[in-house]
Amino acid sequence: MAIIALENINVTFKQKKQTIVAVQDETIQINQGDIYGIVGYSGAGKSTLVRTINMLQKPTSGSVKVQGVEMTTLDPNALRNARKKIGMIFQHFNLLDEITVFQNVAQPLKHAKLSKKAKIEKVNHLLELVGLSDRANNYPAQLSGGQKQRVAIARALANDPDILISDEATSALDPRTTNQILALLKKLNQTLGLTIVLITHEMQAIKEIAHHVAVMENGHIIERGTLLEIFTAPKAQLTKDFINTATNREEALIKVQELLTTHPLANDEVLVSIDFVGEQTAQPLISRLYADFNVSANILYSNMEILTNTPVGTALVVLKGTNDQLTYAIAAFKQNHVTINTIPQGGNH
Ligand SMILES: Nc1ncnc2c1ncn2[C@@H]1O[C@H](COP(=O)(O)OP(=O)(O)OP(=O)(O)O)[C@@H](O)[C@H]1O
Protein backbone atom coordinates (compact mmCIF):
# COMPACT_ATOMS: atom_id res chain seq x y z
CA MET A 1 0.00 0.00 0.00
CA ALA A 2 1.23 3.49 -0.80
CA ILE A 3 2.09 5.33 2.39
CA ILE A 4 2.93 8.41 0.31
CA ALA A 5 1.02 9.34 -2.84
CA LEU A 6 1.93 12.53 -4.63
CA GLU A 7 -0.28 13.22 -7.61
CA ASN A 8 0.22 15.77 -10.37
CA ILE A 9 2.41 17.93 -8.19
CA ASN A 10 3.35 21.33 -9.57
CA VAL A 11 5.53 23.77 -7.68
CA THR A 12 6.33 27.15 -9.16
CA PHE A 13 8.20 29.98 -7.50
CA LYS A 14 7.34 33.49 -8.59
CA GLN A 15 10.16 35.93 -8.32
CA LYS A 16 10.15 39.54 -9.44
CA LYS A 17 10.22 38.94 -13.15
CA GLN A 18 10.74 35.22 -13.34
CA THR A 19 8.63 32.17 -12.74
CA ILE A 20 10.67 29.12 -11.75
CA VAL A 21 9.02 25.78 -12.34
CA ALA A 22 10.69 23.59 -9.71
CA VAL A 23 8.42 20.55 -10.09
CA GLN A 24 6.25 19.95 -13.11
CA ASP A 25 3.23 17.67 -12.93
CA GLU A 26 4.93 14.82 -11.11
CA THR A 27 3.30 11.77 -9.61
CA ILE A 28 5.01 9.34 -7.31
CA GLN A 29 3.88 6.55 -5.00
CA ILE A 30 6.01 5.21 -2.20
CA ASN A 31 5.07 2.01 -0.44
CA GLN A 32 5.13 1.38 3.26
CA GLY A 33 8.54 0.06 4.34
CA ASP A 34 10.27 1.13 1.13
CA ILE A 35 13.58 2.95 0.84
CA TYR A 36 12.93 5.24 -2.11
CA GLY A 37 15.92 7.08 -3.51
CA ILE A 38 15.51 10.29 -5.52
CA VAL A 39 18.65 11.22 -7.38
CA GLY A 40 19.46 14.24 -9.49
CA TYR A 41 21.83 17.14 -9.83
CA SER A 42 21.50 20.31 -7.81
CA GLY A 43 18.45 22.27 -8.86
CA ALA A 44 16.62 19.27 -10.34
CA GLY A 45 13.71 19.79 -7.94
CA LYS A 46 14.29 16.84 -5.58
CA SER A 47 14.00 18.79 -2.33
CA THR A 48 11.05 20.78 -3.54
CA LEU A 49 9.16 17.65 -4.56
CA VAL A 50 9.93 15.78 -1.35
CA ARG A 51 9.23 18.74 0.90
CA THR A 52 5.63 18.65 -0.29
CA ILE A 53 5.25 15.36 1.61
CA ASN A 54 5.24 17.19 4.94
CA MET A 55 4.04 20.49 3.47
CA LEU A 56 7.33 22.24 4.17
CA GLN A 57 6.65 23.16 0.57
CA LYS A 58 3.02 23.68 -0.35
CA PRO A 59 2.47 22.54 -3.92
CA THR A 60 1.08 25.11 -6.35
CA SER A 61 -1.31 22.37 -7.40
CA GLY A 62 -1.70 18.63 -6.93
CA SER A 63 -2.57 16.15 -4.23
CA VAL A 64 -0.37 14.96 -1.38
CA LYS A 65 -1.66 11.95 0.50
CA VAL A 66 0.24 10.54 3.46
CA GLN A 67 -1.27 7.42 5.00
CA GLY A 68 -4.41 8.22 3.04
CA VAL A 69 -4.75 11.74 4.48
CA GLU A 70 -4.83 14.67 2.08
CA MET A 71 -2.17 16.99 3.47
CA THR A 72 -2.86 20.06 1.33
CA THR A 73 -6.14 20.86 3.04
CA LEU A 74 -5.25 20.17 6.69
CA ASP A 75 -5.71 22.98 9.21
CA PRO A 76 -2.54 24.08 11.06
CA ASN A 77 -3.27 21.94 14.10
CA ALA A 78 -3.95 18.78 12.13
CA LEU A 79 -0.89 19.47 9.99
CA ARG A 80 1.28 19.79 13.11
CA ASN A 81 0.09 16.36 14.23
CA ALA A 82 0.49 14.79 10.81
CA ARG A 83 4.06 16.11 10.60
CA LYS A 84 5.01 14.24 13.76
CA LYS A 85 4.77 11.04 11.74
CA ILE A 86 7.29 12.37 9.21
CA GLY A 87 10.84 12.79 10.53
CA MET A 88 13.45 14.67 8.55
CA ILE A 89 17.23 14.87 8.46
CA PHE A 90 19.39 17.32 6.54
CA GLN A 91 22.87 17.76 5.11
CA HIS A 92 23.95 20.19 7.83
CA PHE A 93 22.28 18.33 10.71
CA ASN A 94 20.41 21.44 12.00
CA LEU A 95 21.21 20.73 15.66
CA LEU A 96 20.98 23.40 18.33
CA ASP A 97 24.55 24.14 19.34
CA GLU A 98 23.85 25.60 22.76
CA ILE A 99 22.12 22.52 24.18
CA THR A 100 23.43 19.00 24.79
CA VAL A 101 22.95 15.92 22.64
CA PHE A 102 20.34 14.67 25.12
CA GLN A 103 18.45 17.95 25.01
CA ASN A 104 18.55 18.05 21.21
CA VAL A 105 16.97 14.61 21.00
CA ALA A 106 14.44 15.51 23.73
CA GLN A 107 13.39 18.69 21.96
CA PRO A 108 10.54 17.28 19.84
CA LEU A 109 9.12 15.68 23.00
CA LYS A 110 8.70 18.99 24.78
CA HIS A 111 4.94 19.02 24.38
CA ALA A 112 4.47 15.26 24.25
CA LYS A 113 2.03 13.79 26.76
CA LEU A 114 4.69 11.73 28.50
CA SER A 115 5.95 11.77 32.07
CA LYS A 116 9.39 13.21 32.70
CA LYS A 117 10.64 9.72 33.43
CA ALA A 118 9.18 8.33 30.21
CA LYS A 119 10.79 11.13 28.21
CA ILE A 120 14.20 10.41 29.73
CA GLU A 121 13.80 6.70 28.98
CA LYS A 122 12.74 7.48 25.45
CA VAL A 123 15.71 9.75 24.76
CA ASN A 124 18.12 7.22 26.25
CA HIS A 125 16.59 4.50 24.12
CA LEU A 126 16.95 6.65 20.97
CA LEU A 127 20.57 7.45 21.79
CA GLU A 128 21.23 3.76 22.24
CA LEU A 129 19.54 3.02 18.91
CA VAL A 130 21.93 5.35 17.08
CA GLY A 131 24.96 4.24 19.12
CA LEU A 132 25.53 7.46 21.05
CA SER A 133 24.62 6.61 24.65
CA ASP A 134 28.00 7.77 25.86
CA ARG A 135 27.63 11.20 24.26
CA ALA A 136 24.39 12.34 25.92
CA ASN A 137 26.02 15.20 27.79
CA ASN A 138 28.24 16.43 24.98
CA TYR A 139 27.45 19.51 22.94
CA PRO A 140 27.18 19.24 19.14
CA ALA A 141 30.50 21.08 18.70
CA GLN A 142 32.21 18.17 20.47
CA LEU A 143 30.98 15.63 17.91
CA SER A 144 32.16 14.49 14.49
CA GLY A 145 29.92 14.98 11.45
CA GLY A 146 28.78 11.36 11.56
CA GLN A 147 27.93 11.63 15.25
CA LYS A 148 26.00 14.85 14.64
CA GLN A 149 23.95 13.11 11.97
CA ARG A 150 23.24 10.27 14.42
CA VAL A 151 21.91 12.83 16.90
CA ALA A 152 19.77 14.32 14.15
CA ILE A 153 18.45 10.84 13.31
CA ALA A 154 17.61 10.15 16.98
CA ARG A 155 15.82 13.50 17.17
CA ALA A 156 13.92 12.76 13.95
CA LEU A 157 12.71 9.48 15.50
CA ALA A 158 11.52 11.04 18.78
CA ASN A 159 7.86 11.08 17.77
CA ASP A 160 7.96 7.52 16.38
CA PRO A 161 7.52 8.59 12.77
CA ASP A 162 6.45 6.17 10.05
CA ILE A 163 8.40 8.09 7.43
CA LEU A 164 11.90 9.52 7.45
CA ILE A 165 12.93 12.03 4.81
CA SER A 166 16.67 12.24 4.33
CA ASP A 167 17.65 15.35 2.36
CA GLU A 168 21.30 14.93 1.33
CA ALA A 169 22.00 13.61 4.84
CA THR A 170 25.32 12.06 3.89
CA SER A 171 26.53 14.72 1.45
CA ALA A 172 28.77 16.45 3.99
CA LEU A 173 30.31 13.21 5.26
CA ASP A 174 33.36 11.24 4.17
CA PRO A 175 32.76 7.89 2.39
CA ARG A 176 33.32 5.71 5.46
CA THR A 177 31.03 7.79 7.68
CA THR A 178 28.51 7.91 4.84
CA ASN A 179 28.41 4.13 4.79
CA GLN A 180 27.93 3.98 8.56
CA ILE A 181 24.99 6.39 8.38
CA LEU A 182 23.49 4.49 5.45
CA ALA A 183 23.87 1.24 7.41
CA LEU A 184 22.04 2.86 10.32
CA LEU A 185 19.21 3.99 8.03
CA LYS A 186 18.99 0.47 6.62
CA LYS A 187 18.80 -0.97 10.14
CA LEU A 188 16.02 1.46 11.07
CA ASN A 189 14.15 0.51 7.92
CA GLN A 190 14.44 -3.17 8.74
CA THR A 191 13.84 -3.09 12.48
CA LEU A 192 11.24 -0.30 12.74
CA GLY A 193 9.65 -0.70 9.31
CA LEU A 194 10.48 2.96 8.73
CA THR A 195 9.71 4.18 5.21
CA ILE A 196 12.67 6.22 4.01
CA VAL A 197 12.76 8.81 1.24
CA LEU A 198 16.37 9.45 0.38
CA ILE A 199 17.25 12.56 -1.62
CA THR A 200 20.80 12.58 -2.89
CA HIS A 201 23.07 13.49 -5.78
CA GLU A 202 25.22 10.44 -4.96
CA MET A 203 24.24 7.28 -6.78
CA GLN A 204 26.60 5.40 -4.49
CA ALA A 205 24.29 6.12 -1.53
CA ILE A 206 21.26 4.97 -3.51
CA LYS A 207 23.08 1.80 -4.49
CA GLU A 208 23.82 0.96 -0.88
CA ILE A 209 20.29 1.00 0.50
CA ALA A 210 17.50 2.04 -1.87
CA HIS A 211 14.87 -0.41 -3.11
CA HIS A 212 13.37 1.99 -5.63
CA VAL A 213 14.92 4.88 -7.50
CA ALA A 214 13.63 7.94 -9.31
CA VAL A 215 15.95 10.11 -11.38
CA MET A 216 15.03 13.80 -11.56
CA GLU A 217 16.01 16.50 -14.01
CA ASN A 218 14.48 19.95 -14.59
CA GLY A 219 11.48 19.34 -12.36
CA HIS A 220 10.67 15.99 -13.95
CA ILE A 221 11.17 12.38 -12.95
CA ILE A 222 12.83 11.16 -16.12
CA GLU A 223 13.23 7.54 -15.08
CA ARG A 224 12.08 5.31 -12.23
CA GLY A 225 12.18 1.68 -11.23
CA THR A 226 13.58 -0.85 -8.81
CA LEU A 227 17.25 -0.49 -7.94
CA LEU A 228 18.00 -3.52 -10.06
CA GLU A 229 16.07 -2.21 -13.07
CA ILE A 230 17.77 1.16 -12.89
CA PHE A 231 21.24 -0.32 -12.51
CA THR A 232 20.97 -3.10 -15.03
CA ALA A 233 18.84 -1.45 -17.73
CA PRO A 234 19.13 2.34 -17.45
CA LYS A 235 17.47 4.18 -20.32
CA ALA A 236 18.13 7.89 -19.96
CA GLN A 237 21.65 9.18 -20.51
CA LEU A 238 21.51 11.02 -17.19
CA THR A 239 20.70 7.74 -15.40
CA LYS A 240 23.66 6.11 -17.14
CA ASP A 241 25.89 8.98 -16.08
CA PHE A 242 24.78 8.60 -12.47
CA ILE A 243 25.37 4.86 -12.55
CA ASN A 244 28.85 5.41 -13.89
CA THR A 245 29.61 7.49 -10.83
CA ALA A 246 28.65 4.56 -8.61
CA THR A 247 30.48 1.81 -10.48
CA ASN A 248 33.98 1.77 -11.90
CA ARG A 249 32.83 0.43 -15.22
CA GLU A 250 33.46 3.44 -17.46
CA GLU A 251 36.72 4.21 -15.68
CA ALA A 252 37.85 0.61 -16.12
CA LEU A 253 36.92 0.73 -19.79
CA ILE A 254 38.98 3.87 -20.32
CA LYS A 255 41.96 2.26 -18.60
CA VAL A 256 41.62 -0.89 -20.66
CA GLN A 257 41.40 1.14 -23.88
CA GLU A 258 44.54 3.01 -22.82
CA LEU A 259 46.30 -0.27 -22.18
CA LEU A 260 45.29 -1.50 -25.61
CA THR A 261 46.85 1.50 -27.32
CA THR A 262 50.25 0.43 -26.01
CA HIS A 263 49.53 -3.32 -26.19
CA PRO A 264 47.22 -3.60 -29.21
CA LEU A 265 45.01 -6.62 -29.72
CA ALA A 266 46.23 -9.27 -32.14
CA ASN A 267 44.16 -10.01 -35.25
CA ASP A 268 42.57 -13.01 -33.57
CA GLU A 269 41.60 -11.12 -30.41
CA VAL A 270 38.49 -9.10 -29.49
CA LEU A 271 37.64 -7.05 -26.44
CA VAL A 272 34.21 -7.80 -25.02
CA SER A 273 32.15 -6.53 -22.12
CA ILE A 274 30.21 -9.16 -20.23
CA ASP A 275 27.29 -8.22 -17.98
CA PHE A 276 25.10 -10.53 -15.98
CA VAL A 277 22.31 -10.24 -13.46
CA GLY A 278 21.20 -12.85 -10.96
CA GLU A 279 22.35 -16.42 -10.73
CA GLN A 280 23.70 -16.54 -14.23
CA THR A 281 26.79 -18.43 -15.05
CA ALA A 282 29.14 -15.87 -16.59
CA GLN A 283 32.02 -17.04 -14.44
CA PRO A 284 31.81 -20.78 -15.35
CA LEU A 285 31.19 -19.83 -18.98
CA ILE A 286 34.40 -17.83 -19.05
CA SER A 287 36.37 -20.62 -17.43
CA ARG A 288 34.99 -23.21 -19.90
CA LEU A 289 35.68 -21.09 -22.99
CA TYR A 290 38.86 -22.89 -23.86
CA ALA A 291 37.55 -26.39 -23.25
CA ASP A 292 34.28 -25.78 -25.10
CA PHE A 293 35.32 -23.46 -27.94
CA ASN A 294 39.09 -23.33 -28.01
CA VAL A 295 38.80 -19.68 -27.11
CA SER A 296 41.14 -18.30 -24.48
CA ALA A 297 40.03 -15.50 -22.19
CA ASN A 298 42.09 -12.83 -20.52
CA ILE A 299 40.06 -10.96 -17.91
CA LEU A 300 41.25 -7.34 -17.73
CA TYR A 301 38.59 -6.14 -15.31
CA SER A 302 35.77 -7.69 -13.38
CA ASN A 303 33.43 -6.56 -10.66
CA MET A 304 30.48 -8.04 -8.87
CA GLU A 305 28.02 -6.33 -6.59
CA ILE A 306 25.01 -7.47 -4.68
CA LEU A 307 22.07 -5.18 -5.33
CA THR A 308 18.98 -5.97 -3.26
CA ASN A 309 20.21 -9.55 -2.80
CA THR A 310 20.91 -10.06 -6.49
CA PRO A 311 24.41 -10.47 -7.88
CA VAL A 312 25.17 -8.02 -10.68
CA GLY A 313 28.44 -8.56 -12.47
CA THR A 314 30.47 -6.98 -15.20
CA ALA A 315 33.77 -7.92 -16.85
CA LEU A 316 36.04 -6.70 -19.62
CA VAL A 317 37.65 -9.66 -21.30
CA VAL A 318 39.94 -10.21 -24.26
CA LEU A 319 38.84 -13.32 -26.19
CA LYS A 320 41.28 -15.04 -28.53
CA GLY A 321 40.32 -17.48 -31.25
CA THR A 322 39.34 -17.83 -34.87
CA ASN A 323 36.29 -15.97 -36.18
CA ASP A 324 34.15 -19.10 -35.97
CA GLN A 325 35.35 -20.01 -32.50
CA LEU A 326 34.63 -16.48 -31.26
CA THR A 327 31.19 -16.47 -32.87
CA TYR A 328 30.22 -19.73 -31.17
CA ALA A 329 31.61 -18.60 -27.82
CA ILE A 330 29.74 -15.28 -27.95
CA ALA A 331 26.55 -17.10 -28.94
CA ALA A 332 26.94 -19.37 -25.90
CA PHE A 333 26.97 -16.35 -23.59
CA LYS A 334 23.86 -14.96 -25.22
CA GLN A 335 22.08 -18.32 -24.93
CA ASN A 336 22.76 -18.18 -21.22
CA HIS A 337 21.21 -14.70 -20.98
CA VAL A 338 24.54 -13.07 -20.31
CA THR A 339 24.89 -9.74 -22.11
CA ILE A 340 28.05 -9.71 -24.20
CA ASN A 341 29.15 -6.88 -26.48
CA THR A 342 32.20 -6.52 -28.64
CA ILE A 343 33.99 -3.26 -27.96
CA PRO A 344 35.50 -1.86 -31.14
CA GLN A 345 39.16 -1.00 -30.80
CA GLY A 346 39.84 2.59 -29.96
CA GLY A 347 36.12 3.35 -29.72
CA ASN A 348 33.53 3.24 -27.07
CA HIS A 349 30.55 0.97 -26.90
N1 LIG B 1 12.02 29.06 -2.09
C1 LIG B 1 12.40 29.13 -3.37
N2 LIG B 1 12.24 30.27 -4.09
C2 LIG B 1 12.59 30.34 -5.38
N3 LIG B 1 13.14 29.32 -6.07
C3 LIG B 1 13.33 28.16 -5.42
C4 LIG B 1 12.99 27.99 -4.04
N4 LIG B 1 13.29 26.74 -3.67
C5 LIG B 1 13.82 26.14 -4.76
N5 LIG B 1 13.83 26.99 -5.81
C6 LIG B 1 14.28 26.67 -7.18
O1 LIG B 1 13.63 25.49 -7.59
C7 LIG B 1 14.51 24.65 -8.35
C8 LIG B 1 14.60 23.29 -7.69
O2 LIG B 1 15.28 23.40 -6.45
P1 LIG B 1 15.47 22.19 -5.43
O3 LIG B 1 16.12 22.72 -4.21
O4 LIG B 1 14.19 21.47 -5.28
O5 LIG B 1 16.48 21.27 -6.23
P2 LIG B 1 17.30 20.03 -5.69
O6 LIG B 1 17.27 19.04 -6.78
O7 LIG B 1 16.79 19.61 -4.37
O8 LIG B 1 18.74 20.63 -5.57
P3 LIG B 1 19.61 20.89 -4.25
O9 LIG B 1 20.10 19.55 -3.84
O10 LIG B 1 20.69 21.80 -4.73
O11 LIG B 1 18.68 21.52 -3.26
C9 LIG B 1 15.82 25.41 -8.41
O12 LIG B 1 15.86 26.12 -9.62
C10 LIG B 1 15.76 26.35 -7.23
O13 LIG B 1 16.54 27.50 -7.46
Side-chain angles (χ1 to χ4, degrees), residues 87-90 93 95 104-105 108 126-127 129-132 145-161 164-166 169-170 173 177-178 180-189 192 194 196:
M88 197 159 180
I89 54 174
F90 306 88
F93 324 122
L95 301 177
N104 265 285
V105 177
L126 289 167
L127 286 174
L129 194 65
V130 300
L132 277 185
Q147 288 167 333
K148 284 182 195 168
Q149 197 56 284
R150 284 172 192 272
V151 178
I153 291 170
R155 182 183 58 183
L157 298 180
N159 281 308
D160 301 314
L164 180 71
I165 296 173
S166 167
T170 59
L173 305 175
T177 312
T178 291
Q180 289 166 349
I181 295 295
L182 292 173
L184 174 60
L185 294 181
K186 193 172 180 172
K187 180 181 100 173
L188 297 173
N189 167 257
L192 308 177
L194 194 65
I196 299 178

Side-chain angles (χ1 to χ4, degrees), residues 13 15 20 22 41-48 168:
F13 296 108
Q15 291 181 330
I20 297 166
Y41 287 121
S42 182
K46 311 179 293 292
S47 299
T48 306
E168 299 281 4

Side-chain angles (χ1 to χ4, degrees), residues 11-15 20-23 39-51 57 91 167-168 199-201 216 219:
V11 182
T12 53
F13 296 108
K14 289 212 165 46
Q15 291 181 330
I20 297 166
V21 182
V23 179
V39 68
Y41 287 121
S42 182
K46 311 179 293 292
S47 299
T48 306
L49 176 66
V50 168
R51 285 158 70 94
Q57 176 62 57
Q91 178 172 4
D167 191 348
E168 299 281 4
I199 306 173
T200 180
H201 65 278
M216 268 194 96

Side-chain angles (χ1 to χ4, degrees), residues 237 240 244 249-250 252-254 257 271-275 314-316 339-349:
Q237 187 54 44
K240 293 177 186 170
N244 282 337
R249 198 176 190 283
E250 286 300 301
L253 184 58
I254 290 166
Q257 300 275 31
L271 176 66
V272 295
S273 65
I274 294 173
D275 292 280
T314 187
L316 297 170
T339 305
I340 180 163
N341 287 304
T342 306
I343 303 172
Q345 271 255 48
N348 231 316
H349 73 299

Side-chain angles (χ1 to χ4, degrees), residues 245-278:
T245 64
T247 62
N248 296 321
R249 198 176 190 283
E250 286 300 301
E251 209 181 308
L253 184 58
I254 290 166
K255 284 197 177 135
V256 166
Q257 300 275 31
E258 272 171 18
L259 180 77
L260 293 181
T261 57
T262 51
H263 300 81
L265 294 178
N267 283 340
D268 60 348
E269 290 180 328
V270 287
L271 176 66
V272 295
S273 65
I274 294 173
D275 292 280
F276 67 96
V277 181

